[in-house]
Amino acid sequence: MKKLMSDHFWTKEQDTAYLKDFADESVYLEMPLVNMTYRMLDMAAEGIPLTKVGNPTTAVIEELYPLGPKDFFWENYPKKKMVLSAIPEWATVWDYLQYVELFRKYKGTLRLTKLGKEMKGHPKRLAHHLFYCVQLMADTALLDLYDFAPFNNSLNYVAVLLDTYGDEFRYVDFYAAKYAEVDPDFAFCYEMTESQYINEAIPCFNVRIMERFFDWMGLVDMIDSRFDKEQNKFTLQQYKASTLFKKLIGVNRPESRVVIPIWINNTSMMN
């Protein structure tokens, strides 16, 4: 089987934070995004039926939704019919998966690409590939309205931060501030005093890094934003490392619990 760049991504030999090895690869399916995508590989072998506009049918959504990341709106304000418009956050998950090179549209169905066929039956390899692809998406403004790019190897470094500070809930701006200390591109926007940067830097970090990776993978527990009547504003999201994070993610560090920088000779570093 041909080696991919993603095969070397989040490995103990190459990265500061890494995906632990398990002989039983079904362990990796405990991550919601991996689990749902793995099921999609099986379904796409026969062809996943799509609507005339290229969206998944209600039957497809009803089968996949329980396996993957949950949608805030559906969980709190369910509609009579499960269509993409009723699950906007999950719809973004679906859109992400159109860019991971595993699926292709063919005659009203979603089929496997050559790479998708290679990933079938290999949960660990699929997990590494999705980690890699989500990092690539974090480096673009393709599926959000924020202009910040790139986030370099942010997912890996934030995993180190979660391993260090994630035993209790902390507001997302805590992690954004810590990340700004090591990424000059993000720090430039994070430290600007203009309102456009103040209002966008932390939300962008929250969406691309915390929500669309760590939450989708089940690696964090989250307390969502809520309206604080005393402060007359919405609070920021809060995160801590989940039980699954501690099970699946390892960190190369000295004995003391001091955050260590990502190795600059890391072959999976993306600039």
Side-chain angles (χ1 to χ4, degrees), residues 2-3 15 18 41 110 112 155 163 198 210 220 235 245 256 266 268:
K2 182 181 178 181
K3 282 288 185 180
D15 284 294
Y18 59 91
L41 293 176
L110 204 64
L112 292 176
L155 305 182
D163 182 72
I198 293 174
M210 303 306 290
V220 291
T235 62
F245 177 97
S256 60
N266 178 359
S268 67

Side-chain angles (χ1 to χ4, degrees), residues 80-122:
K80 291 184 178 180
K81 191 174 183 180
M82 188 172 264
V83 294
L84 283 188
S85 59
I87 46 175
E89 294 178 352
W90 192 89
T92 302
V93 177
W94 177 265
D95 287 340
Y96 258 58
L97 293 178
Q98 310 313 302
Y99 295 92
V100 299
E101 301 180 353
L102 302 177
F103 308 102
R104 62 185 178 89
K105 291 182 178 180
Y106 177 74
K107 293 185 177 181
T109 64
L110 204 64
R111 299 276 181 169
L112 292 176
T113 62
K114 180 180 178 180
L115 180 59
K117 293 176 182 178
E118 292 181 4
M119 290 289 174
K120 271 180 58 58
H122 300 284

Side-chain angles (χ1 to χ4, degrees), residues 40 43-44 46-50 56 60 64 94 103 108-111:
M40 286 179 64
M43 296 170 65
E46 300 297 327
I48 299 176
L50 303 173
V60 168
L64 292 176
W94 177 265
F103 308 102
T109 64
L110 204 64
R111 299 276 181 169

Side-chain angles (χ1 to χ4, degrees), residues 20-229:
K20 294 178 182 177
D21 288 322
F22 293 91
D24 179 6
E25 292 196 14
S26 65
V27 170
Y28 303 107
L29 300 180
E30 294 180 31
M31 290 182 281
L33 184 61
V34 178
N35 190 29
M36 189 184 84
T37 308
Y38 190 75
R39 175 59 185 142
M40 286 179 64
L41 293 176
D42 287 337
M43 296 170 65
E46 300 297 327
I48 299 176
L50 303 173
T51 65
K52 291 182 179 180
V53 295
N55 292 332
T57 64
T58 295
V60 168
I61 297 174
E62 289 176 344
E63 180 170 352
L64 292 176
Y65 180 80
L67 306 176
K70 296 299 178 280
D71 184 279
F72 171 84
F73 296 96
W74 182 262
E75 296 299 312
N76 292 278
Y77 311 102
K79 305 293 184 182
K80 291 184 178 180
K81 191 174 183 180
M82 188 172 264
V83 294
L84 283 188
S85 59
I87 46 175
E89 294 178 352
W90 192 89
T92 302
V93 177
W94 177 265
D95 287 340
Y96 258 58
L97 293 178
Q98 310 313 302
Y99 295 92
V100 299
E101 301 180 353
L102 302 177
F103 308 102
R104 62 185 178 89
K105 291 182 178 180
Y106 177 74
K107 293 185 177 181
T109 64
L110 204 64
R111 299 276 181 169
L112 292 176
T113 62
K114 180 180 178 180
L115 180 59
K117 293 176 182 178
E118 292 181 4
M119 290 289 174
K120 271 180 58 58
H122 300 284
K124 179 184 176 183
R125 197 176 196 214
L126 176 63
H128 281 284
H129 182 70
L130 291 176
F131 277 36
Y132 176 75
C133 290
V134 175
Q135 175 64 68
L136 290 178
M137 296 297 286
D139 288 341
T140 74
L142 183 62
L143 291 176
D144 61 50
L145 301 177
Y146 303 108
D147 296 327
F148 302 110
F151 271 99
N152 297 309
N153 206 19
S154 54
L155 305 182
N156 201 272
Y157 188 76
V158 174
V160 179
L161 295 176
L162 282 166
D163 182 72
T164 307
Y165 303 108
D167 289 340
E168 61 184 75
F169 280 106
R170 297 180 188 272
Y171 286 104
V172 65
D173 59 345
F174 171 86
Y175 290 105
K178 290 290 185 184
Y179 180 66
E181 294 175 3
V182 299
D183 187 335
D185 293 327
F186 179 71
F188 174 79
C189 298
Y190 177 80
E191 295 170 358
M192 295 292 284
T193 57
E194 285 84 350
S195 60
Q196 70 180 88
Y197 293 106
I198 293 174
N199 293 335
E200 289 190 4
I202 294 175
C204 179
F205 176 87
N206 182 65
V207 167
R208 291 194 198 168
I209 309 304
M210 303 306 290
E211 289 186 358
R212 295 185 179 178
F213 178 70
F214 289 101
D215 187 44
W216 285 3
M217 291 294 180
L219 299 176
V220 291
D221 296 327
M222 179 180 70
I223 298 176
D224 212 340
S225 174
R226 62 179 179 79
F227 187 75
D228 188 317
K229 293 183 179 180

Side-chain angles (χ1 to χ4, degrees), residues 226-239:
R226 62 179 179 79
F227 187 75
D228 188 317
K229 293 183 179 180
E230 293 185 1
Q231 300 185 47
N232 196 34
K233 65 177 183 180
F234 282 93
T235 62
L236 294 173
Q237 291 84 350
Q238 300 178 61
Y239 297 94

